[in-house]
Amino acid sequence: MFLTNAPAALGIALAAVAQMFCANAVAADAYSTKPLRLIVPTATGGSTDVVARIVGAQLGERLGTQVVIDNRGGAGGAIGVETAAKAPADGHTLLLVSASQMTLPSLRKLPYDPVKSFTPIAKLASVYLALVVHPTVEANSVQDLISLAKRKPGTIMFSGSGPGAHVTMATELFKSMAAIDVVIVEYKSGGPAVIDLLGGHTHAMLATIPSVLPHIKSNKLRVLATSGAERSNLLPDAPTVNKAGVPGDSTVQWHGVVAPAGTPQRMIERLHAELKAILASDEGRKRLVAAGAEIDYLAPIEFGAFMRRDMDQWAQLIRKANIKLRD
């Protein structure tokens, strides 16, 4: 009986193996026939865009296809995120997600869920913020700035990078936790916000370190502290805001890649493997570090849990500080 059915059993086994190899081949070749779109929910030039272009270029090389960077700024990032959420879940549309998108659900009604509408692929990097002031501001420390703001309530102006954007929300949090009355002047993005600070039209800003580092080195801006739980490798002499006068304020901007919910698991696995390899490569690390990003990798399951936790933490902070979205 065993010998009689051996050929049939062997045929079934070979068919299964062939099917497996065929599926793997499809996964391997899927990106060589169609460009991949990486949506960036910000304007060009900011840290999110820079990280996207570095990772996109390397990902395209590894997949053997073109990765098109699609900047969709506006509404604090909601426009770009919604575009990605509604895109076909075929593995050819990705979103460069950041901490900014985790604050929006607590500030406005959204046509998508920042976590449930997507499948996490990998957390890539974190970018610390720098608390900087124009040289004419009479403050050489965080405590100096807080004291100045309390002596002159409603007169110190901070540059913001758009309603709901991470820089703006980090400023709102700093304002609340330091118990100071300052004015946040909104700009469409971080670039114009830094330009007006350099011109003395505003007094201070919590900005991504890469966007202000050249101006700190040229003494056009004075750094008082950096965000995060530990000191930044880019500004090791600057204390953290958390330890320089505002305990508990340690927010950082982070970046990761997600795909629309329902994207085939085999494609998620392939993309994750390539992104992990990019972060582990000397070239990938060198480019990201040169752009002011610090490698902060998480695998899909851990990244998904991290996003849910970050969104919940922001919800609690926004509710406690009574932060409202200004139009």
Side-chain angles (χ1 to χ4, degrees):
M1 187 71 176
F2 176 78
L3 293 175
T4 303
N5 291 334
L10 180 59
I12 292 172
L14 289 174
V17 172
Q19 186 176 11
M20 179 183 69
F21 277 109
C22 181
N24 289 339
V26 170
D29 297 336
Y31 294 102
S32 62
T33 59
K34 183 180 177 182
L36 189 153
R37 178 170 63 149
L38 179 56
I39 295 176
V40 182
T42 65
T44 59
S47 65
T48 303
D49 178 62
V50 171
V51 169
R53 292 179 185 278
I54 292 172
V55 173
Q58 298 237 323
L59 184 60
E61 291 177 7
R62 297 186 67 88
L63 294 174
T65 191
Q66 180 184 13
V67 175
V68 179
I69 304 298
D70 185 1
N71 291 90
R72 298 289 183 102
I79 293 175
V81 179
E82 181 181 2
T83 300
K86 294 180 177 179
D90 60 1
H92 288 86
T93 298
L94 305 177
L95 172 69
L96 202 295
V97 70
S98 71
S100 297
Q101 280 73 64
M102 298 300 108
T103 64
L104 292 177
S106 299
L107 298 168
R108 61 154 63 109
K109 186 176 181 179
L110 299 170
Y112 60 85
D113 185 296
V115 176
K116 294 180 181 178
S117 297
F118 299 96
T119 299
I121 300 176
K123 185 184 180 196
L124 305 175
S126 289
V127 178
Y128 286 27
L129 307 181
L131 176 57
V132 292
V133 296
H134 190 269
T136 58
V137 175
E138 297 178 354
N140 292 304
S141 69
V142 174
Q143 286 291 2
D144 285 349
L145 183 62
I146 293 173
S147 297
L148 179 62
K150 289 185 175 180
R151 288 199 310 271
K152 300 179 178 180
T155 61
I156 303 299
M157 294 186 291
F158 273 71
S159 287
S161 60
H166 187 259
V167 163
T168 299
M169 296 310 299
T171 307
E172 291 278 15
L173 185 61
F174 174 78
K175 173 183 174 182
S176 173
M177 297 184 77
I180 54 177
D181 177 13
V182 299
V183 178
I184 301 177
V185 182
E186 295 288 12
Y187 295 86
K188 290 184 178 180
S189 63
V194 172
I195 289 173
D196 261 17
L197 176 60
L198 289 168
H201 302 295
T202 57
H203 304 104
M205 184 176 181
L206 268 165
T208 56
I209 291 179
S211 68
V212 292
L213 187 58
H215 310 304
I216 293 171
K217 291 182 175 180
S218 63
N219 296 317
K220 293 179 181 178
L221 294 176
R222 183 186 308 129
V223 60
L224 304 184
T226 59
S227 69
E230 303 294 335
R231 295 191 181 212
S232 165
N233 292 327
L234 294 174
L235 291 169
D237 294 331
T240 63
V241 175
N242 178 50
K243 294 180 180 178
V246 189
D249 188 355
S250 58
T251 180
V252 298
Q253 176 71 296
W254 52 261
H255 303 289
V257 176
V258 298
T263 298
Q265 184 60 30
R266 60 182 176 79
M267 302 186 88
I268 295 296
E269 291 173 358
R270 172 82 192 282
L271 290 164
H272 168 252
E274 300 297 359
L275 289 171
K276 184 178 181 180
I278 289 170
L279 297 181
S281 69
D282 291 340
E283 184 65 19
R285 297 180 71 89
K286 183 174 73 173
R287 291 188 184 184
L288 286 168
V289 170
E294 304 198 16
I295 304 299
D296 193 5
Y297 163 79
L298 284 177
I301 294 176
E302 291 78 13
F303 183 32
F306 170 84
M307 286 194 291
R308 287 189 293 273
R309 189 166 59 250
D310 198 48
M311 186 171 65
D312 291 343
Q313 288 175 346
W314 269 111
Q316 293 175 19
L317 291 169
I318 289 170
R319 187 164 53 249
K320 182 178 180 180
N322 194 30
I323 297 172
K324 304 294 183 182
L325 187 63
R326 296 190 301 274
D327 296 326

